[in-house]
Structure formats: structure tokens, C-alpha cells
Amino acid sequence: TRLPSSFLDTGWLAGLPRRMFGASTPDDPGALGSTAQVDLPKLPVPDLNETMARYIETIRPITTSHQLEVTKNHIQAFCSADGPGPKIQEELKKRQKTMDNWAYDWWTRDMYYNILLCLPINVSPGMVFTPRKFESYTDIANLAARLVHLAVRHKEKLDRYALPCERAASREKGQPLCMSQYYRVFSSYRQPGIPYDQLITTKTSTEHIVVSCSNQFYVLFLKIKDTYLTEEQLSAQFAFILT
């Protein structure tokens, strides 16, 4: 039985981002490669003295008066003409001229790749579906088919670089936002390494998925002669795996 078209609007799937499953065309304004994406401003290098002033205000509530004064003395030495601060600031400005985002590599390495704990919960948010009662294997197969079918539609959209460009809603309202991280979905994995992990992104076609069921792994092909399986065909494949 085909799941009703209103399925996404009811029950536990209602919380999923609707834009994940929407349709689009390569001509969408703001798609990757358009003027809105290419002309994004580079990440600026904040003024050194302003950065240090904000740092002092940030640590003020969590330090004693003595600790704060010691920190201010260190900052004063750091920012002096003979200190390392101005030299580092100039190096950052040079780096900023040659990169779209001078902080990206450092930030992702420190926030993600250096952390060896499981990413969901410890670093990144995770999504857990609410409990759902299934009456039969057919119900499970239908739901799995719906999710895969929608994921494939979204992957096709990514392959066309067809996501509309998002824009800032608060600060610098209307400013186009970088969309590159969206296009790493379904095509990236984290490769373990020393001294830190790496994110590997490849441009791949969506030909098959791997299904884990009852301690077994199955290859489920998504295409027949360059045509994607329908939702009903996917459901039949899942039912075969389940039984």
C-alpha cells in the first residue's frame, strides 16, 4: 500500500526540514555557481584591539579581579608593538587575501576533526525518530521506501546544484549565505587519521544503498537502466529483505 501524500504533514516526520524533500530546477536563483554564491564576501579579519576587548568582557564574569588584571597585562604585552599580536594579525590578513574563508580549516579541525568521541551528542546534534508502531513488515517496507525515495530526490537536487541560496534573517539581513556544506551531504565521510581526522568528499552518482537487517548487509540498487525505482518498487525490495 502506498503511503498517503499527506504523510510528511502528519505524525513523527512532520519535524523533518521540508526543504530537504522539495523539488527544484537547475535555474533556481542562488544555486551553487550563480552570482549570489560566487560573490559572497570573504570572511573578514577582526580588528586585534577590538577582539581583545571583547575577550576581556567575555571572561569578566568567570574570573576573579586578580585573574582579570593578570590577563589584561598579558593582553597588553601581546598587543604591544614588539609583541606577537600585530605580527599574527598581519599574517591573518595575508591569509585572508588568498582564501575565501581564512578560519574554515582551523575551525573545523579544532571543533570536529581533533575530537575522537562519537560526533552525535558529543559534538553535533542528532535526530531520533519518535517511536512508531508497525502492524506488519509491509508497514516497515513502505516507510523505508518513502524515506529512501525522498532522499534520492534530494540527492538528485544536490547533484544539479539546485538548492536555492539561503539568506541571513537577522544580522546583515538578506546577505546570501554559503551553501557549500549542503553539497557535501550523501557524498562525504570522515577518514580517521593521525594527528587528526579528515573530511573526504567525492562526487558520486546515486546507484545503490546498503541496507542492514538482522545482522546482514544487502546491496539495494536504486536504478534499472538509468531509471530510479519507484516508491512501490523500493517497498517490494525492502519487503524481500525483511522476509
Side-chain angles (χ1 to χ4, degrees), residues 188-203:
S188 301
Y189 72 97
R190 178 169 168 164
Q191 177 177 282
I194 297 175
Y196 51 84
D197 297 346
Q198 288 183 313
L199 181 69
I200 306 298
T201 301
T202 57
K203 191 170 180 61

Side-chain angles (χ1 to χ4, degrees), residues 61-179:
I62 59 174
T63 55
T64 65
S65 298
H66 174 69
Q67 290 172 330
L68 188 61
E69 288 305 314
V70 171
T71 302
K72 286 181 178 179
N73 291 334
H74 286 313
I75 290 176
Q76 185 175 3
F78 180 81
C79 295
S80 65
D82 297 330
K87 298 182 180 66
I88 295 175
Q89 185 77 355
E90 288 305 312
E91 291 301 319
L92 291 179
K93 290 180 179 179
K94 292 178 183 178
R95 179 180 172 91
Q96 192 261 356
K97 291 179 181 179
T98 61
M99 304 179 68
D100 291 332
N101 187 329
W102 61 269
Y104 175 79
D105 292 340
W106 294 337
W107 186 86
T108 52
R109 185 183 305 172
D110 187 57
M111 291 295 295
Y112 292 98
Y113 307 146
N114 281 336
I115 300 175
L116 301 183
L117 299 174
C118 181
L119 292 184
I121 301 176
N122 292 294
V123 178
S124 302
M127 182 174 63
V128 179
F129 293 147
T130 56
R132 185 176 180 85
K133 184 178 180 180
F134 297 101
E135 300 295 338
S136 65
Y137 283 137
T138 300
D139 290 345
I140 300 175
N142 285 341
L143 178 58
R146 167 57 62 94
L147 291 175
V148 171
H149 178 68
L150 293 173
V152 169
R153 283 173 53 190
H154 187 63
K155 179 61 165 61
E156 286 186 296
K157 191 175 181 180
L158 295 175
D159 290 342
R160 300 196 310 269
Y161 296 103
L163 292 180
C165 184
E166 294 185 350
R167 296 177 180 274
S170 53
R171 293 180 57 186
E172 301 180 5
K173 189 172 183 179
Q175 166 66 46
L177 301 177
C178 179
M179 300 292 291

